[in-house]
Amino acid sequence: MNDFYKYNNYLLKQNMKDSSIYLYIYYLRKFLKWYEEVIKIPFKTLEKNIVKKYIKNISSNISESYINNYINFFKSYNNFLISEGIQKEMVIDNSLKVKMSKAKVNKNNYVNEKYIENLLQKICSIDGIKNYTMLNLIAYSGLRAAEVTELTLEDLDFDERVINITGSYTRKVPMNSNVESCLKLYLKEIYTMEDYLFINERGTKYTDTGLRWILRKNCPDDNITITTLRDFYKLKLKEQGYTLKEIDELLGYTTKHKSYLDKSLKEMLTPSEFAKIFNVAPITVIKWCNKGLIKAYRTDKGFRKIPPSEVKKLQAVR
């Protein structure tokens, strides 16, 4: 435990971000546990062949970028051991890194519900109810990472079953049964009266970078990001019948200057365009609409749009 504390202080002196420090300490714990179980001798110093063996052991479950992250960690830990007088020279270098292949861009940032549920359950069992709850709020309430970190107990309204988001994206987000149950469990088992709902090991609120690190350390798939979880929530809203405008409002996007016409509505005729075909005034077309002689639809701003098929129908009766 003392070595972890010393290494943590060493990283702080290197001006590393909190998220990177958490990650390196996590890597160290995993490596030392593996060393104890596989090498079966007390750890003293880093050896290049042992590090190679460890990387080979974990490489089947992690991406290329993860491997290179591990190498960066081992270089850092090597430097720490030298600074402590435990190791005499650098044995870890960039030759251990793998060449990154060009990642294919996944334009459809979608994963199925079963994958998300399994991922969150894994985080719950391995990483605890707090980290599970924070990521659950993103996947099942669509909150931004920064919005999760700013939450307070007063923002939760269990009577109305909503989460009150304040700040730049003020809104009320529905609290479904999944979110409600994990929040209540977290409040019962973990939460202590603090200024913010979620407090890290340092006694301060989490950062959005910290949440990304929690997801990354539990999910080896580089394609799964905080945005993926928000897209998952967006997809679930579509399946439940929410309109695009309603979805944007729940996600905290601006809707002021955005058109929500679907493709079929865009292809329809305005009353003026319809009037020109029959050489009448637009007000006449509006009267036809009111009488039910022609079918018309309304845009989200209340304007009439008439399907092109109504032209042939009206021509047939005139």
Side-chain angles (χ1 to χ4, degrees):
M1 183 63 70
N2 192 40
D3 287 341
F4 291 123
Y5 178 75
K6 286 182 178 180
Y7 183 46
N8 186 85
N9 285 341
Y10 168 81
L11 295 175
L12 283 172
K13 291 177 182 178
Q14 305 301 311
N15 295 319
M16 290 187 71
K17 294 180 179 179
D18 283 353
S19 57
S20 297
I21 293 175
Y22 296 151
L23 191 61
Y24 279 19
I25 296 296
Y26 171 72
Y27 285 167
L28 179 58
R29 291 183 187 278
K30 283 187 67 176
F31 171 68
L32 293 180
K33 182 180 179 182
W34 173 86
Y35 196 97
E36 180 184 346
E37 294 174 351
V38 177
I39 307 303
K40 298 186 178 183
I41 59 174
F43 175 80
K44 292 182 180 180
T45 59
L46 286 173
E47 298 177 36
K48 193 170 187 176
N49 62 321
I50 298 296
V51 171
K52 281 184 176 180
K53 185 175 181 178
Y54 178 69
I55 294 298
K56 183 177 181 181
N57 176 260
I58 64 173
S59 61
S60 60
N61 297 318
I62 61 176
S63 66
E64 295 167 341
S65 62
Y66 256 71
I67 293 174
N68 291 340
N69 283 343
Y70 268 98
I71 301 305
N72 288 333
F73 150 69
F74 279 117
K75 286 170 62 180
S76 165
Y77 192 56
N78 199 159
N79 278 319
F80 163 72
L81 293 176
I82 292 173
S83 69
E84 290 290 308
I86 298 172
Q87 191 146 357
K88 292 183 179 180
E89 59 183 2
M90 285 292 294
V91 296
I92 310 301
D93 54 47
N94 289 334
S95 65
L96 293 177
K97 289 188 174 182
V98 296
K99 186 176 180 181
M100 297 285 291
S101 57
K102 290 185 178 180
K104 294 182 179 179
V105 177
N106 182 13
K107 293 183 179 179
N108 186 15
N109 198 24
Y110 163 71
V111 288
N112 62 42
E113 185 172 5
K114 187 174 181 181
Y115 185 97
I116 291 293
E117 288 178 344
N118 289 340
L119 174 62
L120 291 174
Q121 289 303 318
K122 171 191 170 187
I123 293 171
C124 185
S125 60
I126 296 176
D127 226 16
I129 185 65
K130 179 169 64 175
N131 291 349
Y132 164 71
T133 302
M134 288 190 289
L135 293 178
N136 194 291
L137 283 166
I138 298 171
Y140 286 97
S141 290
L143 272 59
R144 295 175 173 85
E147 291 171 340
V148 173
T149 64
E150 292 288 338
L151 282 177
T152 66
L153 185 60
E154 290 72 27
D155 295 326
L156 308 180
D157 189 337
F158 289 104
D159 292 331
E160 296 293 328
R161 297 190 73 192
V162 296
I163 301 171
N164 296 302
I165 304 300
T166 57
S168 302
Y169 306 98
T170 302
R171 64 195 189 279
K172 292 181 181 292
V173 178
M175 187 190 297
N176 63 31
S177 57
N178 186 312
V179 172
E180 182 181 14
S181 60
C182 76
L183 276 171
K184 286 183 175 179
L185 180 61
Y186 168 71
L187 293 173
K188 180 182 178 181
E189 301 290 338
I190 307 293
Y191 176 70
T192 56
M193 296 301 292
E194 300 284 354
D195 292 337
Y196 295 97
L197 195 61
F198 302 106
I199 298 297
N200 61 28
E201 290 77 7
R202 297 176 184 276
T204 60
K205 72 171 183 175
Y206 280 88
T207 63
D208 53 343
T209 303
L211 281 191
R212 288 183 173 84
W213 170 76
I214 290 170
L215 177 61
R216 182 57 49 237
K217 75 169 184 173
N218 286 287
C219 180
D221 188 344
D222 285 342
N223 290 321
I224 308 302
T225 65
I226 294 295
T227 301
T228 311
L229 299 185
R230 295 228 319 149
D231 283 347
F232 170 74
Y233 176 69
K234 184 176 181 179
L235 183 73
K236 297 305 293 181
L237 290 177
K238 284 183 180 179
E239 291 176 352
Q240 292 168 30
Y242 284 83
T243 65
L244 292 178
K245 185 176 182 180
E246 289 171 334
I247 292 171
D248 279 355
E249 289 172 344
L250 287 174
L251 287 167
Y253 295 139
T254 181
T255 61
K256 191 174 182 180
H257 302 293
K258 190 172 180 181
S259 173
Y260 291 91
L261 296 177
D262 59 28
K263 185 177 179 182
S264 60
L265 208 55
K266 287 179 180 178
E267 292 172 349
M268 293 183 187
L269 303 170
T270 65
S272 295
E273 291 169 336
F274 197 88
K276 286 180 182 179
I277 297 173
F278 291 93
N279 197 27
V280 297
I283 189 63
T284 302
V285 175
I286 293 174
K287 289 179 180 179
W288 290 344
C289 293
N290 293 336
K291 291 179 180 179
L293 295 176
I294 55 176
K295 186 185 296 184
Y297 297 90
R298 296 272 189 174
T299 69
D300 58 307
K301 292 183 179 180
F303 298 119
R304 287 182 174 86
K305 297 284 279 185
I306 305 166
S309 58
E310 294 300 299
V311 174
K312 291 183 179 180
K313 286 183 181 179
L314 193 58
Q315 287 173 337
V317 298
R318 289 195 61 172

